[in-house]
Amino acid sequence: MQGEDKWFLARKRLLDRLWREGYIRSRKVYEAMLRVPRELFVPEAYRDLAYEDRPLPIGYGQTISAPSIVAFMTEELMADVGMRVLEVGTGSGYQAAVLAEIVAPSGTDPRYWGHVYTIERIKELAELARRRLEEAGYGSRVTVIVGDGSKGWPKEAPYDRIMVTAAAPHIPEPLLEQLKPGGRMVIPVGGVLEQTLYIVEKRMDGSIVKRPSLPVLFVPLIGEYAWREEI
Ligand code: SAM
C-alpha cells in the first residue's frame, strides 16, 4: 500500500472508532480531523503510534493530546467557519491545524476564512509547530506566537472561541476579558494531578456561565495567571 493511503486508512479507522465511542458527534469535526495528517505532528520516533488513541511525548516534558480528547474539546468548542480562535498551548500544532480546518476549511473560498492564533511558552516547540503547520499547508490560517498564554493575546482580541490545552488552577481573568460576548471557551481547571474540563460561555450581557464536563489530565499551564514555574 502507498504510504499516504496507509496513513489515511489508519486515520479513518481511528475516527470511525471515536465516532462510535461518542467523542466525535458531528460531520464537521469528523471531516476536519480526517483532513489533518496527525502523523506529521508527532516526533519521527512515534510516527507508527500516530493513530493510537493516546497522548505522545513531543519533547521538553510536553505532550500531544490523545485524539479522543482533541475530538471532544473541538466538539465542545462549537467553532464555525469564519471565526477567530485563540488556542493556548500550541505544543505540536496538531490541535491548531484541526481548528484551522473548522474555521477555514481546506478547499473553500479564503474570503470566508477565519483565523487561529495559537500561543506557546516554549520557543523551540513554537518554532517546530510553525514549521510543521506550514509544511502541512496551514501557514496562512494559523499564527503561532511565543509567549505566556495565561495572559491571552490582547493584540488580536477579542476572540469568538478560546481553547486552552494546558491545565490551569483557575480560569485566567485575561482570557475571560478577551472572549467576545456570545463567545465560548474550553479549559481544563483543577490540581496538577487531575482536572475537570470546563465549558465557559460569555453571555451577551457579559455574564459568565461555567459548566463542568469530563475529568481530564493535562500538563500544567505555567504563567502569570496560572501555575508559577516552580510548582
Ligand atoms: N494542543 C497541543 C497539541 O495539539 O499538540 C498540546 C498541548 S500540550 C498538552 C500543552 C502545551 O501548553 C505545552 O506545549 C506547554 O508548553 C504549553 N504551555 C504551558 N503553559 C503555557 C502558557 N502559559 N502559555 C502558552 N503555552 C503554555
Side-chain angles (χ1 to χ4, degrees):
M1 198 185 301
Q2 294 287 304
E4 224 166 274
D5 295 345
K6 169 185 128 180
W7 292 122
F8 181 81
L9 286 179
R11 194 179 314 139
K12 189 166 182 317
R13 203 173 306 126
L14 172 66
L15 296 181
D16 288 345
R17 181 180 137 202
L18 298 182
W19 179 278
R20 284 195 304 275
E21 290 173 353
Y23 292 105
I24 300 180
R25 303 190 297 267
S26 66
R27 281 214 77 77
K28 186 167 65 180
V29 171
Y30 181 94
E31 279 166 13
M33 289 183 73
L34 193 59
R35 287 194 291 266
V36 180
R38 189 171 188 261
E39 73 276 9
L40 298 187
F41 292 89
V42 306
E44 193 90 42
Y46 296 113
R47 206 143 279 178
D48 282 342
L49 301 176
Y51 294 104
E52 300 284 313
D53 186 23
R54 52 179 280 187
L56 293 168
I58 54 171
Y60 305 90
Q62 308 303 323
T63 52
I64 174 173
S65 307
S68 52
I69 192 76
V70 170
F72 188 82
M73 288 175 80
T74 309
E75 288 285 4
E76 290 290 351
L77 196 66
M78 296 177 77
D80 232 323
V81 175
M83 287 186 171
R84 295 159 56 79
V85 179
L86 175 68
E87 183 202 18
V88 177
T90 311
S92 68
Y94 172 69
Q95 173 74 73
V98 172
L99 292 172
E101 284 290 359
I102 303 266
V103 302
S106 297
T108 62
D109 188 338
R111 282 178 301 176
Y112 303 109
W113 281 2
H115 199 82
V116 179
Y117 298 89
T118 180
I119 182 160
E120 169 59 54
R121 66 181 277 273
I122 300 173
K123 185 167 155 270
E124 292 80 0
L125 283 179
E127 278 167 7
L128 193 57
R130 190 181 290 128
R131 212 162 52 236
R132 288 191 170 137
L133 284 160
E134 244 163 53
E135 280 164 13
Y138 297 102
S140 62
R141 290 175 268 175
V142 180
T143 303
V144 181
I145 301 140
V146 181
D148 173 9
S150 76
K151 297 193 277 191
W153 184 244
K155 194 166 161 244
E156 295 292 344
Y159 302 98
D160 298 288
R161 299 288 186 263
I162 298 179
M163 180 186 284
V164 183
T165 62
H170 48 76
I171 302 172
E173 197 54 39
L175 298 185
L176 290 173
E177 281 161 16
Q178 290 169 35
L179 194 58
K180 275 187 197 171
R184 199 174 167 91
M185 166 162 45
V186 177
I187 177 169
V189 180
V192 173
L193 295 179
E194 199 195 21
Q195 309 97 31
T196 302
L197 191 67
Y198 273 84
I199 317 302
V200 180
E201 284 174 27
K202 190 181 210 172
R203 290 192 177 140
M204 294 312 283
D205 65 3
S207 61
I208 301 292
V209 183
K210 301 172 212 166
R211 178 170 62 81
S213 172
L214 280 190
V216 287
L217 179 58
F218 275 87
V219 295
L221 182 74
I222 295 170
E224 191 176 329
Y225 292 85
W227 296 105
R228 295 297 170 159
E229 191 91 37
E230 63 272 17
I231 291 176

